[in-house]
């Protein structure tokens, strides 16, 4: 897929919860290029003297009606804090789209309409699953979301997810949904799925992949290895797979869990 270096304008910046910011970017000159769920962008951070490398950020949503690209940013370092502090009208230079995304059905055939996707996310790792849910609906599928967090205050974009499918929640303290981890939710016993997609903390994804394997369900995971260049040149995001060492930013970030040595 062709890659672009674009100057995008920040149309709106909102704070879904403390420590997180949703950047809604647009290209005022032309439609945004094609992007797939699970791909990511590399954002240049201007005005931060300690930030020299671009920051990789998952594609949260592509709103074609408003020609917007959504990026959900967790402000944890100098670079991401600089992005969170941007005002509306600011210009961000981005490289996109990068990496390989989730496997999507090719059309909206009856077979696809009957496919049951379970999208499992934790923390800010839920970000790419929103766009995946939107694209599955566009292809005639009805996704189910299972989202986990430490507490109700840590859940992100729940109302946005409900636009595309049924949402189930788990929290470690029981303040929303069922108490426990995503792999302990009663949904696993009450429903059957044909494919599972997951993104979030590695221990969570390992547990989801193991459970999917036990049930004989194909699954994919979006890895969050440390990335710098986004093009497979710097080798800082290498993952050991059954096919050998690969760069997550180029061969992933989405992998079949059968390829991962988990």
């Amino acid at each position: 897929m062709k890659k672009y270096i674009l100057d995008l304008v920040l149309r709106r910046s909102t704070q879904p919860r403390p420590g997180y910011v949703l950047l809604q970017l647009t290209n005022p000159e032309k439609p945004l290029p094609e992007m797939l769920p699970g791909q990511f962008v590399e954002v240049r951070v201007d005005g931060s003297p300690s930030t020299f490398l671009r920051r990789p950020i998952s594609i949260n949503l592509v709103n074609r009606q408003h020609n917007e690209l959504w990026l959900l940013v967790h402000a944890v370092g100098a670079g991401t804090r600089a992005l969170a502090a941007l005002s509306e009208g600011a210009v961000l230079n981005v490289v996109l789209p990068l990496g390989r995304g989730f496997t999507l059905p090719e059309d909206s055939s009856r077979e696809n309409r009957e496919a049951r996707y379970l999208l499992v996310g934790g923390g800010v790792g839920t970000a790419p699953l929103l766009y995946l849910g939107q694209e599955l609906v566009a292809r005639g599928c009805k996704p189910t979301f299972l989202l986990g967090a430490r507490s109700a205050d840590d859940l992100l974009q729940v109302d946005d997810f409900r636009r595309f499918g049924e949402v189930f929640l788990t929290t470690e303290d029981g303040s929303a949904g069922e108490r426990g981890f995503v792999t302990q939710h009663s949904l696993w016993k009450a429903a059957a799925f044909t494919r599972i997609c997951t993104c979030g903390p590695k221990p969570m994804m390992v547990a989801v992949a193991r459970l999917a394997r036990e049930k004989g369900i194909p699954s994919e995971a979006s890895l969050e290895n440390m990335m710098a260049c986004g093009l497979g040149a710097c080798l800082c995001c290498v993952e050991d797979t059954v096919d050998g060492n690969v760069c997550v930013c180029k061969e992933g970030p989405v992998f079949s869990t059968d390829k991962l040595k988990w």
Side-chain angles (χ1 to χ4, degrees):
M1 184 177 290
K2 185 177 179 180
K3 299 173 177 59
Y4 299 83
I5 302 177
L6 300 175
D7 285 329
L8 301 182
V9 177
L10 180 58
R11 176 176 284 171
R12 181 179 301 172
S13 176
T14 56
Q15 190 179 63
R17 59 169 292 254
Y20 294 82
V21 64
L22 177 64
L23 306 179
Q24 294 170 251
L25 306 166
T26 189
N27 186 338
E29 299 179 355
K30 60 181 65 176
L32 292 167
E34 180 184 2
M35 290 172 268
L36 299 174
Q39 291 185 305
F40 65 99
V41 306
E42 286 274 359
V43 181
R44 191 179 72 200
V45 182
D46 297 323
S48 175
S50 61
T51 306
F52 305 103
L53 300 173
R54 290 178 181 264
R55 290 295 182 262
I57 302 175
S58 297
I59 295 171
N60 181 218
L61 192 77
V62 179
N63 185 327
R64 293 293 175 188
Q65 181 180 359
H66 298 292
N67 198 38
E68 286 183 349
L69 166 66
W70 291 16
L71 302 178
L72 182 63
V73 179
H74 187 189
V76 292
T80 49
R81 286 196 297 268
L83 294 177
L86 291 173
S87 301
E88 295 176 8
V91 175
L92 277 178
N93 184 268
V94 300
V95 181
L96 79 170
L98 297 170
R100 297 175 184 270
F102 291 99
T103 300
L104 293 170
E106 296 181 359
D107 52 43
S108 57
S109 65
R110 179 180 176 181
E111 180 180 354
N112 289 335
R113 290 196 299 271
E114 294 176 350
R116 300 203 63 191
Y117 279 74
L118 177 62
L119 279 52
V120 186
V124 75
T126 60
L129 301 181
L130 184 63
Y131 186 29
L132 176 58
Q134 175 184 265
E135 291 303 294
L136 288 173
V137 169
R139 288 163 170 78
C141 299
K142 187 177 181 180
T144 298
F145 301 96
L146 177 55
L147 311 178
R150 290 189 179 90
S151 70
D153 291 338
D154 296 315
L155 292 165
L156 294 161
Q157 299 182 298
V158 175
D159 288 339
D160 288 314
F161 280 104
R162 289 191 172 120
R163 292 162 47 199
F164 304 121
E166 194 170 7
V167 176
F168 295 85
L169 304 173
T170 68
T171 50
E172 294 177 27
D173 65 359
S175 55
E178 296 186 11
R179 180 189 294 272
F181 303 121
V182 289
T183 49
Q184 299 170 322
H185 198 283
S186 59
L187 178 66
W188 293 97
K189 298 179 180 178
F193 298 95
T194 55
R195 179 173 288 272
I196 296 171
C197 302
T198 185
C199 184
K202 184 175 180 179
M204 184 209 77
M205 292 194 292
V206 171
V208 170
R210 184 179 298 118
L211 188 55
R213 192 173 298 115
E214 291 173 358
K215 294 178 175 293
I217 305 172
S219 63
E220 292 181 319
S222 179
L223 275 57
E224 297 185 318
N225 295 33
M226 184 76 69
M227 300 181 194
C229 70
L231 300 170
C234 69
L235 304 180
C236 73
C237 65
V238 169
E239 179 79 13
D240 185 17
T241 73
V242 296
D243 298 321
N245 289 331
V246 300
C247 290
V248 169
C249 68
K250 186 176 181 181
E251 303 300 326
V254 177
F255 294 87
S256 165
T257 55
D258 289 337
K259 296 288 186 180
L260 300 171
K261 290 186 176 181
W262 286 355

